[in-house]
């Protein structure tokens, strides 16, 4: 293996390390930071102070942000509740609905590839006597709508299904799910963290009743998010999970993070303006990255539906390659692997396992999360780097050698040790 392939030249305009993990968090857009700055200094008022101009100024900024967020998702400003992020939004939505509608029923439906903020919240509710159905996904990562129809019974109060998956970028059929829920009179919540600002989301057209979003996945600051709560057709009620001064229409007490909220609003306004052109740019980079790797490597597979997918997501398995060595080999590129560090052990991703991938294949997977500030030149560098390291690791892989020689690995009886 030549040194040139292992360490590709860094193209002009590319600086290392390269950030390609935009599903984990995104860099702040400088325009968002600029909008926020005054609220850290001169405009420091408490949005709940009703007696003076400092308070009014802060309140006005918060109300403008509410409008900007509402506009992006087809809601009205009064339907937006500010939170500390999507983990809190998901908790508030699911626990708040479970508590409020307990008389009506105790059954909740979700699906297996949800974010932990949804799955762990549902698990806690099971301890309190709620019944939770975890729908499976097909090999492409999508739920089966007939499974959903069959799962709804007369005790079902809530369906919570994510809009876009954070690992494989798969877009669930949200509009169809919303339609089914409304026909059956069941509340529909969606964790739309990865979808908002990336693909069109319209709570009216899609029959979404409650929706979680967060600023730091759309080029805004960390620690601020929102929950959309439908006010009519039907009016959804949510029991507060944090008690205090009765802020946010009683649903979420606590002094508002004014600067963060201004940043979230600005991030939504930019996304609305630029989503269409940005999606094209992301899709072009993603397709190029995939095409380059498929042209030069065998035994690579895309995980999750290609058709129903976020424009900036590429999740690929590099079969017969050891996952950790692969990541170490591309250590100047920030990506995520198909392994999750839980305590001391490396567990394969539960999302990839739900698609039917074996542990080894899951471990050999990489999520390339493209974002607003990535460039085509970066994609070429990353492709060169991955191609080089995969080829090198496979030279060392006895399994890959056997497969190339035509040996069927499934027929081998391995000696016990
Ligand atoms: C990041 C993420 C969350 C958690 O959002 P925070 O604001 O970081 O709490 C929830 N759901 C999905 C799908 C995510 O990607």
């Amino acid at each position: 293996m030549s040194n040139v392939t292992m360490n590709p030249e860094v193209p002009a305009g590319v600086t290392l390390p390269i950030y390609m993990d935009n599903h984990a968090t995104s860099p702040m857009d400088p325009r968002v930071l600029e909008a926020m700055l005054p609220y850290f200094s001169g405009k420091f008022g408490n949005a709940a102070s009703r007696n003076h101009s400092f308070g009014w100024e802060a309140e006005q900024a918060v109300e403008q942000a509410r409008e900007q967020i509402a506009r992006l998702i087809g809601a009205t400003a009064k339907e937006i509740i500010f939170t500390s992020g999507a983990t809190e939004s998901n908790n508030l939505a699911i626990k708040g609905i479970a508590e409020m509608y307990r008389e009506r029923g105790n059954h909740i439906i979700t699906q297996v590839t949800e974010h932990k903020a949804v799955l762990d919240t549902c698990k806690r509710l099971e301890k309190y006597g709620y019944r939770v159905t975890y729908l499976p996904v097909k090999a492409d990562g999508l739920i089966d709508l007939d499974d959903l129809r069959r799962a709804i019974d007369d005790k079902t109060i809530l369906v919570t299904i994510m809009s876009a998956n954070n690992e494989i970028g798969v877009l669930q059929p949200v509009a169809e799910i919303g339609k089914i829920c409304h026909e059956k009179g069941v509340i529909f919540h969606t964790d739309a963290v990865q979808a908002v600002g990336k693909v069109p989301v319209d709570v009216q057209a899609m029959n979404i009743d409650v929706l979680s979003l967060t600023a730091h996945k759309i080029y805004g600051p960390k620690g601020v998010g929102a929950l959309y709560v439908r006010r009519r057709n039907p009016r959804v009620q949510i029991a507060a999970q944090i008690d205090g001064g009765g802020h946010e229409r009683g649903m979420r007490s606590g002094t508002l993070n004014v600067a963060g909220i201004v940043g979230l609003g600005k991030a939504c306004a930019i996304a609305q303006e630029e989503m269409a052109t940005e999606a094209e740019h992301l899709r072009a980079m993603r397709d190029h990255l995939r095409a380059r790797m498929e042209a030069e490597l065998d035994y690579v597979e895309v995980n999750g539906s290609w058709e129903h997918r976020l424009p900036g997501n590429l999740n690929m398995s590099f079969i017969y390659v050891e996952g950790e060595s692969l990541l170490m080999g591309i250590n100047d590129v920030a990506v995520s692997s198909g392994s999750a560090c839980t305590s001391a052990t490396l567990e394969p991703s539960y999302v990839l396992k739900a698609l039917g991938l074996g542990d080894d294949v899951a471990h050999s997977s990489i999520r390339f999360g493209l974002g607003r500030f990535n460039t085509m030149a970066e994609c070429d560098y990353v492709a060169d780097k991955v191609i080089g390291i995969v080829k090198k690791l496979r030279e060392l892989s006895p399994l890959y050698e056997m497969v190339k020689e035509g040996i069927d690995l499934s027929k081998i009886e391995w000696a016990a040790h």
Side-chain angles (χ1 to χ4, degrees), residues 23 85-88 90 115 117 162 164 166 191 193-194 214 216-217:
H23 301 301
T87 298
E88 187 190 336
N90 286 338
H115 191 272
M162 70 200 321
N166 45 297
D191 173 346
V193 165
Q194 299 287 345
T214 192
H216 77 100
K217 307 281 175 83

Side-chain angles (χ1 to χ4, degrees), residues 21-24 110-119 135 137-138 140-143 161-174 190-196 198-199 217 286 303-305 308-315 336-338 349-355 367-370:
D21 200 16
N22 285 273
H23 301 301
T110 186
Q111 58 93 24
V112 291
T113 66
E114 290 293 313
H115 191 272
K116 287 289 182 187
V118 167
L119 292 176
L135 298 175
V137 293
K138 298 175 283 183
D140 63 3
L142 294 164
I143 63 159
I161 307 275
M162 70 200 321
S163 296
N165 185 272
N166 45 297
E167 286 190 40
I168 51 177
V170 163
L171 302 169
Q172 295 291 350
V174 172
T190 186
D191 173 346
V193 165
Q194 299 287 345
V196 164
K198 315 288 168 57
V199 292
K217 307 281 175 83
R286 180 196 70 181
N303 298 312
S305 167
H308 304 281
R309 194 185 199 90
L310 288 172
N313 178 282
L314 178 63
N315 189 309
S336 274
S337 77
S349 144
Y350 68 91
V351 172
L352 296 178
K353 290 205 76 171
L355 306 185
R367 173 185 74 181
F368 303 92
L370 294 156

Side-chain angles (χ1 to χ4, degrees), residues 107-147:
H107 182 225
I108 294 167
I109 299 171
T110 186
Q111 58 93 24
V112 291
T113 66
E114 290 293 313
H115 191 272
K116 287 289 182 187
V118 167
L119 292 176
D120 289 351
T121 301
C122 288
K123 270 190 218 144
R124 180 173 299 272
L125 288 175
E126 283 185 282
K127 287 189 194 152
Y128 297 153
Y130 290 84
R131 188 159 53 84
V132 180
T133 300
Y134 300 88
L135 298 175
V137 293
K138 298 175 283 183
D140 63 3
L142 294 164
I143 63 159
D144 184 332
L145 292 172
D146 285 328
D147 286 347

